[in-house]
Each structure stands twice: as structure tokens, then as C-alpha cells.
Amino acid sequence: MWWARLALLALAASVLAPLVAAGFESLLWAAAGVAALGLTGVGVWWTLAHTGPVRAAGLALAVAAPVVLLVLYTAQGLLWPAALCLALWAPALAAGRTALALAAGDDPAPGRQEAAPPPRRPWIVMNPRSGGGKAERFGLVEKARAAGATVVLLDPEERQDVAALARRAVADGADLLAVAGGDGTQALVAEVAAEHDLPFVVVPAGTRNHFALDLGLDRDDPAAALDALHDGVELRVDLGYAADRVFVNNASFGTYAAVVRDPAYRDDKVRTLLRTLPELLTGAHVPRLGMRAGQERADGLQALLISNNPYRRAVDAARPGRRERLDSGLLGVLCLRVDNTVRAAGAVRGPRSSALRRLTAKEVVVEAGTPAVPAGLDGEPVVLMAPVVCRSAPGALRVRVPRHRPGVPARGSAVDWREVARLAMGRREVARPAVGPHRRPGPG
């Protein structure tokens, strides 16, 4: 109750700060801030969806809109009230999340942890090129062998079937499978581990290591993950399936999936994006997708991201691109439709805009106007036959992690201020989120 009251007090203070500084005139300046965000969205759209002079104008607009707003705020003496408003908003969110978490009895650990005996015949596959050569820099081969593991190094010059290597290891008696590589390689071995109900160890030797991050592993010290071989605990986490293919993070369809398929993407991501996006967003062959999840439906989508457990909102600066948990048994679904300047301006409203739609579901059907649809599974390009059924396999994977690791996924979702107000008034029942959309669906 007191955390909820503190949250509401900070929220009220964040609203009153600009009112005290500039009176009701501050409402006009707040509207100017919203307009500047909309213009920034338009600038970003022009930059991504066009080339030549229109792209140059879009880049100039995306930069100029917030700069001009800051200059105007400074000239009117509103810069410090705006900064104070933001400074008060942060503790309001933190206190609100704490209140909701305490009322709901959230456990800060990512699922139930069980003590795990050391494996007798651990097996690990390493990609020496992942993460710019992390396996060599951190001495992963030597440390894994010292821990009793059989190490298989992938040949950088030859394309190898990682799943087949893992199945051969199981046939030879391996009782634990591990990967030191990127998320795509991890998904291939995780599928084999799940098939045989064997424990799986993640060594974050890739570039982004999103799965390792949500498991609480130290991405700056990949060798620390090898502690799971002798002092580990076991978690049960979900796997995502797109048709018969496993993903540990997400399956992307539409624009991003088409960009990932470009051979130049691996070596120069930014230039490849800028080169290919105009045709994909506004050209004659714009990919259009449909989505069905229970009673929910969306059509005319340019991009569709389906994640193994829902992501937090991208605008959450504290934990961007993070999942609160890996054992909810749900897929996160993010639908994007930005096909004109008006939708681009409205996209800055986030989940309240018609351009963006978020929901959760146990199963999602992806539809396309073609027999096959390009997709990216944990960043790896594939082609799947349409329609593609994506589903969650709850608790399918046994993950072994070190007993002592730097972090675990932070719990808590976007703050529901109505629930916070209920708690502040002494009503302790917190509504549990149901399976379904995070917001009322908008058009398209």
C-alpha cells in the first residue's frame, strides 16, 4: 500500500512540476513536445522508406525537431521543469512496479530452480568465429576441457549440421549439451536437448547473446557460464516453434526477415538496412502478412515479430529488449504496419498507435499471399511454407546455469495505474493479466 502511495505521489509531483513553473501554459508546451515527437517519427519514416532528397530531408527533420524543441524549452525557462518531470517519473514507475510485484507475490527468480548434479559426459560445440572470436579470447576450449567436457569446434570454412553433431553426441552417451556461439546455433542444439530431455548449457560467446541475458548470465565473461558444469542449478524454460523449427528468442517475418536474407547484412548491417528498406517499405514488392491468434486478427502487416515469451516494451529504458520471464507458456506478438506518413507520425504513441499492436498467445498463425514466406529464426534466415503455425512449448527445455550469476530477468510489467490506485486505497487484490492483447486492438 505504501509503495503504491509513493508511486502516486511521485506521479502527481511529475505533473505538478511544469504546472507550478509555467502554469496552464505548460500544457501548450507539452502539446509542442508531442508534436515534435510526431515530426521526429515522420523524419525517421522518410529516412528509412525513401532515398535521395526525401531521405536527406527526413534525416534533417528527425534531428531538427527535438533540437528546436530543446531550444524553445530553454528560451522559455522550461528545461529544468521538464527535466524534473522526467526525474520524478522514473521513481513513480519504480515504486508502482514494486507495489504491483509485492501485491502479486512475484518471485524475482526466472522460474523454479533445482539443484543439479554434475554431468558425467558433458559435450559442447563452439563456433570460433562467434562474437569476433570470443572462444579464443576467453580460452573457452581449454576451460571446457578442464571441466571434463568433450569439445567440438566448428570449421569456419565449412557449413556443418550442428543439430546432427548434437544427435551424434547423444548417441555416444553425452548427458549434457552445451553451446558456445550465437543464438541461432543455440536454438539448433536446444532442440536436440529438448527432444532427449537433456540439460542444456548456454555459453554467451555470440555477438548479442539475448537468451543468455534473460537467463541472467554474464555476457562479458563467457567462461563463467562453464561453472554450470560443476556448480549449477536447473531451470525449466519454454521453447518457441515456427512450423517444426525451434527458436529460443524470436521468429521474425516480413521486412526484417527479408533484410536478414541479404548476404551483405552480416558484414554491414546499417548500410544493408538503408539500401533495402525503401523497396521493402514502399516498393512494388512490399511484403504483406496476416496474423491470427485466437479471436485476434491483423492484416496488411509489414513486419511481425513472435517471441518466445513476451518482451518488455522497447521504450522501457531500464530493461530494453528484455523478457520478464522464460516460463510463461506464452508467445509475445508484435505487429507493425507503418505504410504512410500519418501512421509514422502516430507510431511515436507506441502501443496506443494504430501502427503498433502487441498481444500474447499460445499459438499464432502467420499468413502470406505466397506459398512460402521468408523468416528469421533467432537471426538465421530460413524459408517456411505458409501458413506458418507458431506455438509455445511450455517447460520444454532444461537449462543448466551457474548457481552464482550476476543477474536474473527482472519481473514487473508496464505499470497499470488503476491497479496502483486500488492498492493505495488499501485494496490488495491485483488483477492478473489474461492471455490476450495488452491493449484494445486498433484498426489494421
Side-chain angles (χ1 to χ4, degrees), residues 1-4 95-107 416 419-424 426-432:
M1 180 176 66
W2 288 106
W3 279 109
R97 288 195 183 102
T98 301
L100 292 171
L102 290 172
D106 276 359
D107 179 359
D416 187 330
E419 295 294 345
V420 173
R422 285 166 55 86
L423 291 172
R427 302 176 185 176
R428 300 190 60 83
E429 302 85 0
V430 175
R432 301 280 181 170

Side-chain angles (χ1 to χ4, degrees), residues 107-112 183 186 200 202 209-217 235-240 247-250 307-312 321-332 378 392-399 401 405 407-411:
D107 179 359
R112 185 184 305 170
D183 292 323
Q186 291 169 16
F200 176 68
V202 174
N209 302 298
H210 291 306
F211 191 47
L213 175 66
D214 289 330
L215 289 170
L217 301 177
L235 313 171
R236 278 280 184 180
V237 304
D238 307 335
L239 284 178
F247 58 92
V248 295
N249 291 321
N250 56 64
S307 59
N308 175 28
N309 288 269
Y311 284 110
R312 295 186 62 83
R322 294 287 304 275
R323 286 167 287 186
E324 297 167 3
R325 55 190 298 177
L326 296 171
D327 61 350
S328 70
L330 297 174
L331 300 172
D378 291 327
S392 173
L397 184 63
R398 298 166 56 190
V399 178
V401 294
R405 56 197 193 280
V408 294
R411 296 285 177 125

Side-chain angles (χ1 to χ4, degrees), residues 229-282:
L229 299 181
H230 58 81
D231 185 23
V233 292
E234 198 166 287
L235 313 171
R236 278 280 184 180
V237 304
D238 307 335
L239 284 178
Y241 281 83
D244 59 348
R245 300 289 298 271
V246 163
F247 58 92
V248 295
N249 291 321
N250 56 64
S252 58
F253 301 87
T255 302
Y256 177 71
V259 172
V260 169
R261 288 176 57 81
D262 192 307
Y265 178 75
R266 293 288 180 185
D267 298 325
D268 195 340
K269 293 180 173 59
V270 174
R271 183 173 298 179
T272 305
L273 280 168
L274 292 176
R275 175 175 55 81
T276 57
L277 276 179
E279 177 64 25
L280 292 171
L281 292 175
T282 58

Side-chain angles (χ1 to χ4, degrees), residues 289-352:
L289 302 169
M291 180 280 301
R292 287 187 287 112
Q295 300 300 315
E296 301 296 321
R297 186 177 185 90
D299 295 302
L301 303 175
Q302 290 162 297
L304 179 62
L305 184 74
I306 300 174
S307 59
N308 175 28
N309 288 269
Y311 284 110
R312 295 186 62 83
R313 293 181 180 179
V315 295
D316 185 353
R319 292 174 290 272
R322 294 287 304 275
R323 286 167 287 186
E324 297 167 3
R325 55 190 298 177
L326 296 171
D327 61 350
S328 70
L330 297 174
L331 300 172
V333 185
L334 182 65
C335 308
L336 182 66
R337 182 181 176 186
V338 183
D339 49 8
N340 55 51
T341 302
V342 174
R343 285 187 186 271
V348 297
R349 299 174 60 211
R352 294 183 299 276

Side-chain angles (χ1 to χ4, degrees), residues 84-236:
L84 180 60
C85 176
L86 294 176
L88 290 168
W89 180 247
L93 287 177
R97 288 195 183 102
T98 301
L100 292 171
L102 290 172
D106 276 359
D107 179 359
R112 185 184 305 170
Q113 301 183 124
E114 298 180 356
R120 296 185 303 275
R121 299 188 63 180
W123 177 90
I124 181 169
V125 61
M126 296 189 183
N127 185 344
R129 281 190 174 177
S130 287
K134 283 185 177 179
E136 181 178 353
R137 291 204 310 273
F138 290 91
L140 297 181
V141 174
E142 296 78 10
K143 292 175 181 178
R145 286 174 176 162
T150 298
V151 178
V152 173
L153 280 175
L154 296 178
D155 186 348
E157 305 301 327
E158 182 181 346
R159 187 173 182 84
Q160 295 168 274
D161 189 335
V162 176
L165 292 174
R167 291 190 173 92
R168 190 179 308 151
V170 174
D172 291 340
D175 59 350
L176 178 145
L177 302 180
V179 174
D183 292 323
T185 307
Q186 291 169 16
L188 294 172
V189 180
E191 181 176 10
V192 179
E195 287 175 0
H196 297 274
D197 197 31
L198 292 177
F200 176 68
V201 168
V202 174
V203 179
T207 303
R208 291 173 293 273
N209 302 298
H210 291 306
F211 191 47
L213 175 66
D214 289 330
L215 289 170
L217 301 177
D218 188 348
R219 297 186 297 175
D220 296 324
D221 184 12
L226 294 172
D227 291 345
L229 299 181
H230 58 81
D231 185 23
V233 292
E234 198 166 287
L235 313 171
R236 278 280 184 180

